[in-house]
Amino acid sequence: MNLNIKGKRILLIGGLNPTADLIDLAHRNGVFVGVADYNKDTYLKQIADAHHEVDALDIEAIAKLCEEEHYDGIISNFNDMLLPYMYEVAERLDYWVPYMEEQFLMSTNKKYFKKKCMEYGVPVPKEYAISTEEDIYTSDIDFPVIIKPVDGSGSKGVTPCFTREELAEGYKKCIEISRCSGVIIEQYIPYDEINVTYIAQDGDVQLAAIHDRYFNTSQEDAMIVPDLYIYPSRYTDVYLDKYNQLVIDMLKGIGVKNGSLFMQACVKDGEVYFYEAGMRLNGCKTYQILEYENDYNTFEHLILYALTGSMGEFNNFNPKMKRWYATLNVLGEPGETIQSFKGIKELESYPWLINIARRFFEGDTIPADSVGTLMQVTTRIHLYADTKEELIERIDKVNELYQLINTDGRNVILAPHDLKEIYKGLNYDLG
């Protein structure tokens, strides 16, 4: 992509490891990158052009920093909490950010998200109005249900409940986690799951990708965590026929004009039920798949938007895709310290490898309290294939080669999927 942004300066607010791709994308376009948050000596700050120890939630301090250091724009992705602060800074300095206050409520307030879905006829799971712990024992509830903080993310506090006692425990946990002490309780639909990615370009909203989410079940008594994504989804045709236009109408209705966003949904008996949205890039880095499929890196276009107010050259997307793609979420055992990684050089020698994105590095410890959350994802590995048989073979090769070695010399990756079962589910073709 030919961008006329060489020499400009962009400030990344919140230096999370998953945003490391931004540094490379900015540098390949001649853009200077600074990183601002209160953490010191992080990986992002080591590879950026400048680093600033400033609280990412301090609007005054961030705005002052941008003016003093002559930044031309700000950006942050993968973190819902930062969205309102980004917007406030942008308003003060006349910067470009993709979404306005009402729009990012789709990310930060699950009740608002469900309200908008129902307003536009986008199906959602049934919700139960519970405002106190006592309500759990007096309300008419059809179990199972799932409870989650109304403003949560990253699967924190999300708990499936099969009894009133489990729901009461989940309620206490959510109240502690939620910044506004709010919870949402809804019908639990433990069936297939999909993730849909939309890209808006100057008012045109398109479905760019849809993938199936496969979950690891090796951890007993824990919320299941996705460890494999496959593109395109086996539900692509159903989705395009019945739901895509409803979602597009909703996004246009709330005023979305530019940016990238995702929605998550469960599928039961061929019917789709949406339960969450993110007005940002998704953590599974679909933009890396789209760059290979469409020569369109969404993260790069978001950098362009932050600096110019334009998403750049228009692109048409076909979610049915020309190739098969997989993303492996490599899940590590909570509490284990990673001493070394094995298999990276071998995997990088294969032409079908798209990217290896590590969230943890040598010496890092997988948080002990991360069980059943996305904090267990240590690495995301993307690959492509021309046939479904090749796809399974290449996933198997990654599982064979890639290892996380702890201080005792043991591989601490959770057991992967049975690929024979995965292959049986690929009973559809491309295009």
Side-chain angles (χ1 to χ4, degrees), residues 341-355:
F341 296 80
K342 287 188 176 181
I344 293 178
K345 288 186 178 180
E346 292 89 338
L347 287 172
E348 288 177 340
S349 70
Y350 288 102
W352 43 260
L353 179 77
I354 296 175
N355 183 258

Side-chain angles (χ1 to χ4, degrees), residues 233-242 320 431:
S233 166
R234 59 191 179 279
Y235 295 108
T236 301
D237 286 334
V238 170
Y239 187 88
L240 288 170
D241 288 344
K242 297 178 63 176
K320 293 187 176 184

Side-chain angles (χ1 to χ4, degrees), residues 338-383:
I338 302 172
Q339 179 172 284
S340 63
F341 296 80
K342 287 188 176 181
I344 293 178
K345 288 186 178 180
E346 292 89 338
L347 287 172
E348 288 177 340
S349 70
Y350 288 102
W352 43 260
L353 179 77
I354 296 175
N355 183 258
I356 298 177
R358 288 190 288 169
R359 296 180 62 196
F360 290 78
F361 296 88
E362 288 85 352
D364 287 344
T365 298
I366 303 164
D369 61 353
S370 66
V371 60
T373 75
L374 293 175
M375 281 303 297
Q376 284 187 260
V377 180
T378 66
T379 318
R380 286 191 169 95
I381 301 176
H382 309 275
L383 57 89

Side-chain angles (χ1 to χ4, degrees), residues 91-266:
E91 282 288 284
R92 293 187 184 208
L93 302 180
D94 199 25
Y95 285 168
W96 290 283
V97 291
Y99 304 116
M100 296 182 294
E101 189 171 7
E102 181 183 9
Q103 295 159 354
F104 61 63
L105 283 174
M106 296 284 282
S107 264
T108 59
N109 189 306
K110 290 178 173 60
K111 287 187 180 293
Y112 179 87
F113 167 71
K114 291 193 74 171
K115 175 185 175 183
K116 283 298 172 184
C117 284
M118 290 186 288
E119 182 179 329
Y120 286 89
V122 176
V124 294
K126 178 181 177 181
E127 184 177 350
Y128 295 93
I130 302 294
S131 55
T132 68
E133 187 176 345
E134 289 72 24
D135 291 343
I136 294 171
Y137 295 97
T138 59
S139 300
D140 185 16
I141 302 173
D142 292 326
F143 288 90
V145 297
I146 193 164
I147 186 170
K148 46 196 170 185
V150 70
D151 52 357
S153 63
S155 301
K156 294 179 181 178
V158 178
T159 308
C161 305
F162 297 85
T163 66
R164 294 184 190 274
E165 290 72 24
E166 289 178 351
L167 183 55
E169 287 300 313
Y171 182 86
K172 294 175 185 176
K173 184 192 303 183
C174 283
I175 290 296
E176 292 177 359
I177 292 173
S178 173
R179 293 183 296 278
C180 64
S181 297
V183 305
I184 187 167
I185 300 170
E186 59 191 15
Q187 173 191 14
Y188 181 40
I189 306 176
Y191 291 90
D192 296 336
E193 291 211 9
I194 60 173
N195 182 297
V196 295
T197 297
Y198 283 87
I199 293 176
Q201 305 163 101
D202 196 23
D204 181 88
V205 181
Q206 293 185 64
L207 175 66
I210 173 170
H211 66 258
D212 292 324
R213 306 175 82 217
Y214 294 88
F215 291 82
N216 188 283
T217 58
S218 64
Q219 299 178 117
E220 295 183 4
D221 302 322
M223 184 69 182
I224 55 177
V225 183
D227 63 359
L228 180 65
Y229 307 132
I230 291 181
Y231 303 74
S233 166
R234 59 191 179 279
Y235 295 108
T236 301
D237 286 334
V238 170
Y239 187 88
L240 288 170
D241 288 344
K242 297 178 63 176
Y243 304 99
N244 185 46
Q245 193 58 52
L246 293 174
V247 173
I248 289 175
D249 290 344
M250 176 177 69
L251 296 175
K252 288 185 175 181
I254 64 172
V256 170
K257 295 188 180 299
N258 292 286
S260 178
L261 60 99
F262 68 92
M263 293 173 62
Q264 292 177 353
C266 44

